[in-house]
Short mmCIF file of all heavy atoms in Angstrom, two decimals:
data_model
loop_
_atom_site.label_atom_id
_atom_site.label_comp_id
_atom_site.label_asym_id
_atom_site.label_seq_id
_atom_site.Cartn_x
_atom_site.Cartn_y
_atom_site.Cartn_z
N LEU U 107 7.06 -15.66 -4.49
CA LEU U 107 7.31 -14.19 -4.57
C LEU U 107 8.59 -13.86 -3.78
O LEU U 107 8.90 -14.51 -2.78
CB LEU U 107 6.13 -13.42 -4.03
CG LEU U 107 4.80 -13.57 -4.78
CD1 LEU U 107 3.79 -12.54 -4.29
CD2 LEU U 107 4.98 -13.45 -6.27
N TRP U 108 9.25 -12.81 -4.21
CA TRP U 108 10.48 -12.35 -3.55
C TRP U 108 10.17 -11.64 -2.25
O TRP U 108 9.18 -10.92 -2.12
CB TRP U 108 11.27 -11.39 -4.45
CG TRP U 108 11.70 -11.89 -5.78
CD1 TRP U 108 11.44 -11.30 -6.99
CD2 TRP U 108 12.51 -13.03 -6.06
NE1 TRP U 108 12.03 -12.03 -8.01
CE2 TRP U 108 12.68 -13.09 -7.46
CE3 TRP U 108 13.09 -14.02 -5.27
CZ2 TRP U 108 13.44 -14.09 -8.07
CZ3 TRP U 108 13.85 -15.03 -5.90
CH2 TRP U 108 13.99 -15.05 -7.28
N ARG U 179 4.06 6.43 -2.12
CA ARG U 179 5.13 5.98 -1.21
C ARG U 179 5.88 4.79 -1.82
O ARG U 179 7.10 4.76 -1.84
CB ARG U 179 4.56 5.56 0.15
CG ARG U 179 3.97 6.69 0.95
CD ARG U 179 3.57 6.18 2.35
NE ARG U 179 2.86 7.23 3.07
CZ ARG U 179 3.45 8.22 3.77
NH1 ARG U 179 4.76 8.26 3.85
NH2 ARG U 179 2.73 9.13 4.37
N GLY U 180 5.10 3.82 -2.25
CA GLY U 180 5.72 2.60 -2.78
C GLY U 180 6.32 2.79 -4.18
O GLY U 180 7.43 2.34 -4.45
N VAL U 183 9.87 4.37 -4.41
CA VAL U 183 11.00 3.48 -4.16
C VAL U 183 11.15 2.45 -5.27
O VAL U 183 12.25 2.15 -5.73
CB VAL U 183 10.86 2.79 -2.78
CG1 VAL U 183 12.08 1.89 -2.53
CG2 VAL U 183 10.75 3.83 -1.68
N LEU U 184 10.04 1.94 -5.74
CA LEU U 184 10.09 0.93 -6.81
C LEU U 184 10.70 1.52 -8.08
O LEU U 184 11.59 0.89 -8.72
CB LEU U 184 8.67 0.41 -7.08
CG LEU U 184 8.47 -0.55 -8.25
CD1 LEU U 184 9.45 -1.70 -8.24
CD2 LEU U 184 7.05 -1.09 -8.28
N ASN U 269 5.39 -4.00 -10.27
CA ASN U 269 4.12 -4.26 -9.61
C ASN U 269 4.20 -4.07 -8.08
O ASN U 269 5.14 -4.55 -7.44
CB ASN U 269 3.65 -5.68 -9.95
CG ASN U 269 2.34 -6.03 -9.31
OD1 ASN U 269 2.28 -6.70 -8.30
ND2 ASN U 269 1.25 -5.52 -9.87
N HIS U 270 3.14 -3.43 -7.55
CA HIS U 270 3.15 -3.10 -6.13
C HIS U 270 3.01 -4.33 -5.23
O HIS U 270 3.33 -4.25 -4.05
CB HIS U 270 2.04 -2.10 -5.83
CG HIS U 270 0.68 -2.48 -6.33
ND1 HIS U 270 0.41 -2.70 -7.70
CD2 HIS U 270 -0.50 -2.72 -5.71
CE1 HIS U 270 -0.85 -3.02 -7.83
NE2 HIS U 270 -1.42 -3.04 -6.65
N VAL U 271 2.50 -5.42 -5.77
CA VAL U 271 2.32 -6.60 -4.91
C VAL U 271 3.59 -7.48 -4.98
O VAL U 271 4.08 -7.97 -3.96
CB VAL U 271 1.09 -7.44 -5.39
CG1 VAL U 271 0.77 -8.49 -4.35
CG2 VAL U 271 -0.08 -6.53 -5.65
N TYR U 272 4.09 -7.70 -6.19
CA TYR U 272 5.22 -8.60 -6.38
C TYR U 272 6.54 -8.03 -5.92
O TYR U 272 7.40 -8.70 -5.38
CB TYR U 272 5.36 -8.97 -7.87
CG TYR U 272 4.47 -10.09 -8.32
CD1 TYR U 272 3.10 -10.08 -8.05
CD2 TYR U 272 4.98 -11.18 -9.06
CE1 TYR U 272 2.26 -11.11 -8.48
CE2 TYR U 272 4.16 -12.22 -9.46
CZ TYR U 272 2.81 -12.19 -9.19
OH TYR U 272 2.00 -13.19 -9.61
N ASN U 273 6.76 -6.72 -6.20
CA ASN U 273 8.12 -6.17 -6.03
C ASN U 273 8.35 -5.68 -4.59
O ASN U 273 7.71 -4.72 -4.13
CB ASN U 273 8.35 -5.03 -7.03
CG ASN U 273 9.82 -4.78 -7.21
OD1 ASN U 273 10.53 -4.55 -6.25
ND2 ASN U 273 10.27 -4.84 -8.46
N PRO U 274 9.27 -6.32 -3.87
CA PRO U 274 9.46 -5.96 -2.44
C PRO U 274 9.88 -4.52 -2.21
O PRO U 274 9.70 -4.00 -1.09
CB PRO U 274 10.60 -6.90 -2.01
CG PRO U 274 10.60 -8.01 -2.99
CD PRO U 274 10.14 -7.41 -4.28
N PHE U 275 10.44 -3.84 -3.22
CA PHE U 275 10.85 -2.45 -3.00
C PHE U 275 9.65 -1.55 -2.70
O PHE U 275 9.79 -0.51 -2.04
CB PHE U 275 11.68 -1.92 -4.18
CG PHE U 275 13.09 -2.43 -4.13
CD1 PHE U 275 13.46 -3.54 -4.85
CD2 PHE U 275 14.04 -1.79 -3.34
CE1 PHE U 275 14.76 -4.02 -4.79
CE2 PHE U 275 15.34 -2.27 -3.25
CZ PHE U 275 15.70 -3.40 -3.99
N PHE U 276 8.48 -1.94 -3.19
CA PHE U 276 7.28 -1.13 -2.93
C PHE U 276 7.02 -0.98 -1.42
O PHE U 276 6.66 0.09 -0.94
CB PHE U 276 6.06 -1.79 -3.61
CG PHE U 276 4.93 -0.85 -3.87
CD1 PHE U 276 4.86 -0.12 -5.03
CD2 PHE U 276 3.91 -0.69 -2.93
CE1 PHE U 276 3.81 0.76 -5.26
CE2 PHE U 276 2.86 0.17 -3.15
CZ PHE U 276 2.79 0.91 -4.34
N TYR U 277 7.30 -2.06 -0.70
CA TYR U 277 7.02 -2.05 0.77
C TYR U 277 8.04 -1.20 1.53
O TYR U 277 7.76 -0.77 2.66
CB TYR U 277 6.98 -3.50 1.30
CG TYR U 277 5.97 -4.33 0.54
CD1 TYR U 277 6.37 -5.16 -0.50
CD2 TYR U 277 4.62 -4.21 0.83
CE1 TYR U 277 5.43 -5.89 -1.23
CE2 TYR U 277 3.68 -4.94 0.11
CZ TYR U 277 4.11 -5.77 -0.92
OH TYR U 277 3.17 -6.46 -1.62
N GLU U 278 9.20 -1.00 0.93
CA GLU U 278 10.18 -0.11 1.54
C GLU U 278 9.63 1.31 1.57
O GLU U 278 10.03 2.13 2.41
CB GLU U 278 11.50 -0.17 0.76
CG GLU U 278 12.25 -1.46 0.91
CD GLU U 278 12.60 -1.72 2.39
OE1 GLU U 278 13.31 -0.92 2.97
OE2 GLU U 278 12.13 -2.74 2.94
N GLY U 279 8.73 1.60 0.63
CA GLY U 279 8.09 2.91 0.61
C GLY U 279 6.88 2.99 1.53
O GLY U 279 6.73 3.92 2.31
N THR U 280 6.02 1.96 1.47
CA THR U 280 4.79 2.04 2.29
C THR U 280 5.09 1.96 3.78
O THR U 280 4.32 2.45 4.59
CB THR U 280 3.75 0.98 1.87
OG1 THR U 280 4.34 -0.31 1.87
CG2 THR U 280 3.18 1.25 0.49
N LYS U 281 6.24 1.42 4.13
CA LYS U 281 6.57 1.36 5.58
C LYS U 281 6.82 2.76 6.15
O LYS U 281 6.72 2.95 7.37
CB LYS U 281 7.73 0.40 5.85
CG LYS U 281 9.07 0.94 5.50
CD LYS U 281 10.18 -0.10 5.78
CE LYS U 281 11.55 0.48 5.55
NZ LYS U 281 12.63 -0.51 5.70
N THR U 282 7.14 3.73 5.30
CA THR U 282 7.41 5.08 5.80
C THR U 282 6.15 5.72 6.41
O THR U 282 6.24 6.69 7.14
CB THR U 282 7.99 6.02 4.73
OG1 THR U 282 6.98 6.21 3.69
CG2 THR U 282 9.26 5.49 4.12
N ASN U 304 -4.69 -5.97 -1.79
CA ASN U 304 -3.49 -6.75 -1.87
C ASN U 304 -2.62 -6.57 -0.63
O ASN U 304 -1.63 -7.27 -0.46
CB ASN U 304 -2.67 -6.36 -3.09
CG ASN U 304 -3.14 -7.15 -4.32
OD1 ASN U 304 -3.22 -8.37 -4.28
ND2 ASN U 304 -3.45 -6.43 -5.40
N GLY U 305 -2.96 -5.55 0.17
CA GLY U 305 -2.24 -5.39 1.44
C GLY U 305 -0.90 -4.66 1.36
O GLY U 305 -0.04 -4.88 2.19
N THR U 306 -0.75 -3.75 0.41
CA THR U 306 0.58 -3.10 0.30
C THR U 306 0.78 -2.09 1.42
O THR U 306 1.92 -1.93 1.89
CB THR U 306 0.79 -2.41 -1.06
OG1 THR U 306 -0.18 -1.37 -1.24
CG2 THR U 306 0.73 -3.39 -2.19
N LEU U 307 -0.26 -1.43 1.91
CA LEU U 307 -0.11 -0.56 3.06
C LEU U 307 -0.01 -1.41 4.32
O LEU U 307 0.82 -1.17 5.22
CB LEU U 307 -1.25 0.44 3.18
CG LEU U 307 -1.15 1.44 4.34
CD1 LEU U 307 0.14 2.28 4.24
CD2 LEU U 307 -2.35 2.36 4.39
N PHE U 308 -0.82 -2.42 4.38
CA PHE U 308 -0.82 -3.36 5.55
C PHE U 308 0.59 -3.93 5.77
O PHE U 308 1.13 -3.87 6.86
CB PHE U 308 -1.83 -4.46 5.30
CG PHE U 308 -1.88 -5.51 6.38
CD1 PHE U 308 -2.79 -5.39 7.44
CD2 PHE U 308 -1.05 -6.63 6.36
CE1 PHE U 308 -2.84 -6.36 8.44
CE2 PHE U 308 -1.09 -7.59 7.35
CZ PHE U 308 -1.99 -7.46 8.40
N LEU U 309 1.16 -4.49 4.70
CA LEU U 309 2.50 -5.13 4.86
C LEU U 309 3.57 -4.11 5.17
O LEU U 309 4.48 -4.37 5.96
CB LEU U 309 2.81 -5.95 3.62
CG LEU U 309 1.96 -7.22 3.42
CD1 LEU U 309 2.18 -7.83 2.03
CD2 LEU U 309 2.27 -8.26 4.50
N GLY U 310 3.47 -2.96 4.53
CA GLY U 310 4.44 -1.89 4.83
C GLY U 310 4.31 -1.45 6.28
O GLY U 310 5.32 -1.26 6.99
N ALA U 311 3.07 -1.30 6.73
CA ALA U 311 2.86 -0.86 8.13
C ALA U 311 3.39 -1.90 9.11
O ALA U 311 4.04 -1.57 10.11
CB ALA U 311 1.36 -0.63 8.38
N LYS U 313 5.84 -3.96 8.59
CA LYS U 313 7.34 -3.83 8.55
C LYS U 313 7.79 -2.69 9.41
O LYS U 313 8.73 -2.81 10.22
CB LYS U 313 7.79 -3.51 7.10
CG LYS U 313 8.23 -4.69 6.31
CD LYS U 313 8.74 -4.17 4.95
CE LYS U 313 9.36 -5.31 4.18
NZ LYS U 313 10.70 -5.12 3.77
N GLY U 314 7.15 -1.55 9.26
CA GLY U 314 7.52 -0.37 10.01
C GLY U 314 7.31 -0.57 11.51
O GLY U 314 8.17 -0.21 12.34
N ARG U 372 -0.15 -12.02 -1.87
CA ARG U 372 0.60 -12.20 -0.61
C ARG U 372 -0.37 -12.55 0.55
O ARG U 372 -0.11 -12.22 1.70
CB ARG U 372 1.44 -10.97 -0.30
CG ARG U 372 2.59 -10.76 -1.26
CD ARG U 372 3.61 -9.75 -0.78
NE ARG U 372 4.60 -9.48 -1.81
CZ ARG U 372 5.82 -10.06 -1.87
NH1 ARG U 372 6.17 -10.97 -0.97
NH2 ARG U 372 6.67 -9.76 -2.84
N GLU U 375 1.03 -14.49 3.54
CA GLU U 375 1.89 -13.65 4.38
C GLU U 375 1.01 -12.72 5.26
O GLU U 375 1.27 -12.57 6.47
CB GLU U 375 2.75 -12.82 3.41
CG GLU U 375 3.99 -12.23 3.95
CD GLU U 375 4.75 -11.48 2.83
OE1 GLU U 375 4.69 -11.88 1.65
OE2 GLU U 375 5.37 -10.44 3.16
N ILE U 376 -0.01 -12.15 4.63
CA ILE U 376 -0.90 -11.23 5.38
C ILE U 376 -1.56 -11.97 6.54
O ILE U 376 -1.63 -11.49 7.67
CB ILE U 376 -1.97 -10.62 4.44
CG1 ILE U 376 -1.30 -9.71 3.40
CG2 ILE U 376 -3.02 -9.86 5.23
CD1 ILE U 376 -2.22 -9.27 2.28
#
Side-chain angles (χ1 to χ4, degrees):
L107 297 191
W108 301 125
R179 293 186 186 276
V183 181
L184 173 52
N269 180 260
H270 52 299
V271 192
Y272 276 51
N273 200 305
F275 282 96
F276 202 88
Y277 304 98
E278 289 300 299
T280 53
K281 76 181 185 184
T282 64
N304 274 307
T306 62
L307 182 59
F308 178 92
L309 290 169
K313 263 184 173 236
R372 292 193 186 263
E375 200 178 327
I376 294 169

